[in-house]
Amino acid sequence: MRAARRRGLRLPTVVGDSLLPALLLLHILTTRPQPELPVAVALTAALALPLVWRRRAPLTVFGIVAAAAFVQWLTDIQLPADVALLVALYTVAAHSGRRGALVAAAVVEGGALLACLRWAADGAFPTLFVALSAMIVAAAVLGVNVRTTRAYLAVLEERAVRLEQQQDQQARLAVAEERARITREMHDIVTHNLSVMVALTDAAVYAQHRSPDRATTAMLQISETGRQALTDMRRSLGVLRTDEPDAERHPLPGIAQLAALTDQMRAAGLSARVEVHGGHTHIPATAQLTVYRLVQEALTNTLKHTPTGTHARVRIHCSTETVTVDVTDSGPRSSLPCATRSGHGIPGMRERAAAYGGKLEAGPLPGGGWGVHARLSLGSVGAASA
């Protein structure tokens, strides 16, 4: 049997449950004298054979075995098959409820008392009754322990299944969040840099005959913008390793890089200036990246959807717990709302702000122009996963 287990083979339970009845019948056939053999075999069969189905119907089998034992007591025949009562009691305790186990134990205890009263030798009643009672208690306790262990293992298995499902769901959510993050990054990088490159290209074409120097400067800025876009894309996609030189020359953009961003926008034809109030060195790098992307997207929309001569103003207010971003421009009110009805710019900005427990507002200003306002909470729960 051990070799079969090592090889991954398991005998059917009915085969294992048939071993004890077969041994008891074989013992009776080989030890009982001929005159008592028919009655002994019949009683042994009545006591032992029901054990084959004890796992399927434990209470029914126990009732049959108990009835056979009572008939045996009435016929005044002692048999080794009485051990079937302990096996049936163990099965009831292992597969039925606590009430069924208590009732079965009380029945067997009553049978033990009757057996001791009839078959105990003179003076041996207390010792025999205590011994039988101890075996009854041991069988019942063993069965209850097996049932408790089985229930505990079932709970552990169910918990492991739920934990695995939760881990799978968390993994899928993490993948979805990472995809959303990369999508936002790609949108901001591509939209901004392409808009700047288009504006610079138009300026270079316009100035190539009148001012070749300005055209050359614009073309150089186009080249630098393209290289910066490639660097940002490699970083966002995780292809750029931290030990490569580009990773040190181009750190994650933040509030300190907003001045360079506004310079780039001015080179593309948008008059923009930035004001930073309060220290920003304590702000996490991911929060600074969010601020940078919000300003970048707002200025890019202004560059794309407003005529030449529009002025943009960026104001950043930094405190211990919050960062406030305000981007306003002087563009015509009628030309900007169309930008919010298509594309993913404004929704992406709202998602970035929501990651820090903030809310983004974008719309026309009462005095004309367009405004974007966002307030980020540095202590929000979602900031850690932004």
Side-chain angles (χ1 to χ4, degrees):
M1 292 180 65
R2 291 179 180 176
R5 289 179 180 177
R6 285 196 298 266
R7 296 177 183 177
L9 301 177
R10 295 187 60 184
L11 295 176
T13 55
V14 67
V15 176
D17 293 339
S18 302
L19 292 178
L20 179 60
L23 291 176
L24 292 175
L25 287 172
L26 181 63
H27 178 267
I28 290 297
L29 291 173
T30 56
T31 58
R32 285 286 172 172
Q34 189 64 31
E36 301 178 2
L37 186 60
V39 177
V41 169
L43 290 175
T44 300
L47 287 168
L49 287 180
L51 296 180
V52 177
W53 298 275
R54 62 189 178 91
R55 300 179 192 272
R56 301 179 183 177
L59 291 176
T60 302
V61 169
F62 176 81
I64 295 174
V65 173
F70 183 68
V71 173
Q72 174 201 354
W73 182 81
L74 292 177
T75 56
D76 195 12
I77 299 177
Q78 299 185 44
L79 294 172
D82 289 333
V83 71
L85 278 170
L86 296 178
V87 177
L89 173 61
Y90 161 81
T91 306
V92 170
H95 295 276
S96 299
R98 182 177 301 178
R99 181 179 300 178
L102 291 176
V103 173
V107 171
V108 179
E109 185 71 15
L113 177 61
L114 293 176
C116 291
L117 290 175
R118 168 164 290 185
W119 293 315
D122 295 338
F125 176 83
T127 303
L128 182 59
F129 182 72
V130 170
L132 291 178
S133 298
M135 288 188 290
I136 293 170
V137 172
V141 170
L142 182 60
V144 171
N145 288 340
V146 169
R147 177 168 54 85
T148 303
T149 302
R150 187 183 298 114
Y152 177 72
L153 293 177
V155 171
L156 289 181
E157 184 178 359
E158 182 182 0
R159 185 179 301 175
V161 171
R162 289 201 307 266
L163 181 60
E164 184 178 1
Q165 293 176 349
Q166 292 176 358
Q167 290 177 346
D168 292 340
Q169 292 176 355
Q170 291 176 356
R172 288 193 292 267
L173 289 175
V175 171
E177 290 178 358
E178 183 65 13
R179 288 177 178 174
R181 183 194 67 82
I182 294 176
T183 301
R184 290 193 300 266
E185 289 292 319
M186 291 299 100
H187 174 271
D188 293 345
I189 292 170
V190 173
T191 302
H192 168 73
N193 288 286
L194 285 181
S195 298
V196 172
M197 293 171 70
V198 169
L200 290 172
T201 302
D202 293 340
V205 171
Y206 179 78
Q208 64 178 340
H209 299 296
R210 299 182 181 181
S211 180
D213 294 339
R214 293 182 60 185
T216 301
T217 302
M219 296 301 294
L220 292 176
Q221 290 177 344
I222 293 173
S223 177
E224 179 61 27
T225 301
R227 283 192 292 269
Q228 182 63 39
L230 292 175
T231 300
D232 292 343
M233 290 177 66
R234 288 198 301 268
R235 185 193 298 114
S236 299
L237 294 174
V239 177
L240 186 61
R241 299 195 304 268
T242 57
D243 57 349
E244 292 186 4
D246 281 347
E248 299 178 359
R249 291 201 303 266
H250 301 283
L252 210 63
I255 296 177
Q257 284 70 42
L258 289 177
L261 176 64
T262 55
D263 292 340
Q264 187 183 48
M265 301 305 293
R266 280 194 293 269
L270 174 64
S271 177
R273 61 190 180 95
V274 60
E275 301 174 4
V276 179
H277 302 279
H280 61 271
T281 56
H282 68 283
I283 300 176
T286 53
Q288 294 199 34
L289 175 62
T290 299
V291 173
Y292 182 90
R293 294 303 186 200
L294 292 177
V295 174
Q296 184 185 55
E297 179 64 23
L299 293 179
T300 301
N301 287 337
T302 301
L303 178 65
K304 290 167 56 178
H305 302 289
T306 58
T308 305
T310 300
H311 300 278
R313 183 183 181 184
V314 179
R315 286 171 292 181
I316 309 295
H317 295 270
C318 304
S319 65
T320 305
E321 297 294 334
T322 62
V323 179
T324 304
V325 180
D326 286 287
V327 183
T328 59
D329 62 61
S330 61
R333 180 186 303 182
S334 60
S335 62
L336 283 172
C338 62
T340 65
R341 291 194 293 264
S342 62
H344 304 280
I346 299 298
M349 295 169 70
R350 288 199 174 96
E351 291 175 0
R352 289 184 182 275
Y356 280 87
K359 183 177 180 181
L360 183 135
E361 298 177 357
L365 299 175
W370 188 266
V372 173
H373 173 80
R375 183 183 179 89
L376 310 182
S377 176
L378 300 181
S380 62
V381 178
S385 62

